Amino acid sequence: MAKLQPASEQLDALVIGAGFAGLYQLHTLRDKLGLRVRVLEAGSGVGGTWYWNRYPGARCDSESYYYSFSFSDELQQQWGWNERYPEHGEIRRYLNFVAEKFDLRRDIRFDTRVTSAAFDDEANLWHVETEDGQRLSARFLITAVGCLSSANIPKIPGLESFRGEWYHTGRWPHEPVDFTGKRVGLIGTGSTGIQATPVIAEQAAHLTVFQRTANYSIPARNGPVPEEEQRAIKADYAAIRELGRKSQNGHPFLVAPESALDVTPEERLARYEAAWERGGLRFRAAFRDLLIDKAANDTASDFIRAKIRSIVKDPVTAEKLTPKDHPFATKRPPIDSNYFETFNRDNVSLVDIKASPIIEITPAGIRTQDAEYELDIIVFATGFDAMTGPLLSIDIRGQDGLTLRESWAAGPRTYLGLQVAGFPNMFTITGPGSPSVLTNMPVAIEQHVDWITRCIQDMRDQGLTRIEADPAAVERWVAHANDAANATLLPQAGSSWYLGANVPGKPRVFMPYAGGMANYAAICEQVTAKGYEGFILSAPKPVGQEAGQGAVVG
Ligand code: NAP
């Protein structure tokens, strides 16, 4: 650790991360409440996950017109999206536009990685240190570190001996990687690998995809957004946003009210065909019970399996690409542009590494149990240490020196995904235990930021300076979140990152809240209305003076 310097700044709130969450949190606390706020960001620019994820084909799976902020009508009227699914560069341009419009950059320190944060009980302050030795103190510590930002690079023996180049998709270079004439190996077939495969295949001499688990994917049907459609969306924004907030997943469409089992086979097929043609994550909304009833889900899973077999010409490859070990959408479903079609190309091959696992990386390429593949470039599309990884990569210490790592040794435990018991005045935007990754992220982010802002405002109005989660409320919330997950099929995907199963040694806990975005937001509203039920609020005085009474804000 760098030598400590005196705290360079005393702040009201310190925010870690300058993605969607950090930018909006800075805006509300600084511009609405007038607080002294600083954002610390490891990257050299705004964007969060979109700052790092620049791999070929990287684009959002939510549609552009609603993968955006809703808090400013002026903003949503000014900005125009080019594509139905925005590409990573377009999202960065958007977030830079937001930073410019709201003059946010002056309070963001870039190239500044937070290494530790410790709660000082006596001073009722968080002390934060950065990699380059800066020291800052703040009353509130707000993590806006993203759910999918800690790259998961598998520890495959021999990587250091590889003579070629290798990249993780979540840490992609800023300059495009040239695949022309190269033999490329890509490991991983989640949303990322499925987006990257068709784009790399168009450039590379040969692409070998190393697949551990076959995945379902729905065509995205990406394309430009016509002017006329943009105008219609802008005219209808209030209703679109309202629908997004009322929905299960923060998307502005409702799930069909019928069961997949209540319609005739012909009607069901027609509905799936229409949803397939329309494309996108909306496919999940074709029937109400796809995620809660295995028999209903089987109809969707079978439909997609049949599509894969009809698209992929070589029956052996088609069979390898057909998912059999988990129900559709129990792992985050990817959407694609010509993913399965890409395996009909002569320069693309598929290796089933469940049947023949990777043994090592050699100077020349990848060696599986059965063969060695000579490669010039290896692309790891192997995902993230999701949700807890970005928080645990910082040495966070709460009361009595308790580390977050100790507190979460058996998996993350929070109240509402907003606070951890023993870590007063620390808020975790889209933390584990909140809907977060099961939703269209900007909706979940705005809801959390608005809740935190209101909470801090209420505390200030009441002369309160400390808020902490009641351990009993954490117990109840963890039990409720487990019940919510178990009421769905989601925990059935054994290798899902929702469960932490993709990272060896990580505790298996279903991390996001599966009870639905609208329902969750209503619970948070009730908590506020009941005087921050489940939180303990107080106004401790500095040492030497009488401690404040526990109090509750109304
Ligand atoms: P992921 O869904 O976790 O997929 C990682 C892939 O790598 C899986 O196929 C996994 O196999 C494989 N893998 C992991 N470790 C491996 C190992 N040691 N050996 C061989 N294979 C290994 O990660 P992702 O594709 O980056 O996506 C993560 C999430 O990011 C998505 O689910 C989504 O929420 C988000 N995302 C969003 C977008 C978007 O909106 N456009 C795009 C990309 C990603 P197993 O399945 O067997 O574990």
Side-chain angles (χ1 to χ4, degrees), residues 125-160:
L125 285 175
W126 279 94
H127 299 307
V128 169
E129 293 169 25
T130 68
E131 204 168 49
D132 58 359
Q134 298 175 52
R135 241 185 134 218
L136 302 91
S137 300
R139 167 70 24 91
F140 295 101
L141 175 68
I142 303 171
T143 64
V145 291
C147 298
L148 297 160
S149 52
S150 260
N152 172 39
I153 302 171
K155 292 183 177 51
I156 303 174
L159 178 58
E160 67 294 339

Side-chain angles (χ1 to χ4, degrees), residues 55 59 61 154 188-192 195 212-213 331-332 383 497:
Y55 60 86
R59 62 179 69 251
D61 289 347
T189 53
S191 301
T192 301
Q195 285 184 339
R212 191 163 68 179
T213 306
K331 294 172 92 163
R332 158 69 154 70
W497 60 258

Side-chain angles (χ1 to χ4, degrees), residues 433-452:
S434 73
S436 57
V437 293
L438 297 179
T439 73
N440 171 43
M441 287 301 292
V443 172
I445 287 168
E446 284 192 325
Q447 187 264 341
H448 262 190
V449 168
D450 289 342
W451 191 94
I452 292 165

Side-chain angles (χ1 to χ4, degrees), residues 4-168:
L4 292 189
Q5 295 163 8
S8 59
E9 268 186 309
Q10 295 268 352
L11 302 156
D12 296 313
L14 194 145
V15 179
I16 310 176
F20 270 87
L23 293 178
Y24 183 40
Q25 187 69 82
L26 168 59
H27 173 58
T28 62
L29 294 181
R30 187 192 70 184
D31 301 334
K32 286 191 176 162
L33 303 196
L35 301 187
R36 286 165 304 163
V37 189
R38 191 73 69 229
V39 176
L40 303 182
E41 163 59 55
S44 305
V46 301
T49 197
W50 298 107
Y51 177 83
W52 303 102
N53 279 270
R54 300 171 189 236
Y55 60 86
R59 62 179 69 251
C60 184
D61 289 347
S62 289
E63 293 189 42
S64 49
Y65 72 92
Y66 61 86
Y67 189 78
S68 52
F69 286 121
S70 72
F71 69 84
S72 161
D73 190 48
E74 195 178 277
L75 168 65
Q76 63 191 10
Q77 296 302 331
Q78 273 179 349
W79 182 260
W81 292 100
N82 293 319
E83 288 188 284
R84 182 174 170 195
Y85 297 98
E87 187 248 1
H88 60 96
E90 193 175 8
I91 302 173
R92 275 196 306 280
R93 282 194 295 281
Y94 170 72
L95 291 174
N96 274 294
F97 180 79
V98 171
E100 208 59 49
K101 182 174 170 59
F102 297 99
D103 192 18
L104 299 175
R105 262 200 208 89
R106 68 184 155 94
D107 287 308
I108 306 173
R109 239 176 246 175
F110 294 106
D111 301 306
T112 303
R113 183 173 290 282
V114 172
T115 48
S116 70
F119 184 67
D120 178 340
D121 218 356
E122 289 185 358
N124 195 31
L125 285 175
W126 279 94
H127 299 307
V128 169
E129 293 169 25
T130 68
E131 204 168 49
D132 58 359
Q134 298 175 52
R135 241 185 134 218
L136 302 91
S137 300
R139 167 70 24 91
F140 295 101
L141 175 68
I142 303 171
T143 64
V145 291
C147 298
L148 297 160
S149 52
S150 260
N152 172 39
I153 302 171
K155 292 183 177 51
I156 303 174
L159 178 58
E160 67 294 339
S161 73
F162 182 55
R163 276 196 305 261
E165 302 157 39
W166 68 267
Y167 305 96
H168 185 279

Side-chain angles (χ1 to χ4, degrees), residues 424-435:
N425 290 350
M426 180 175 94
F427 294 106
T428 48
I429 302 178
T430 64
S434 73

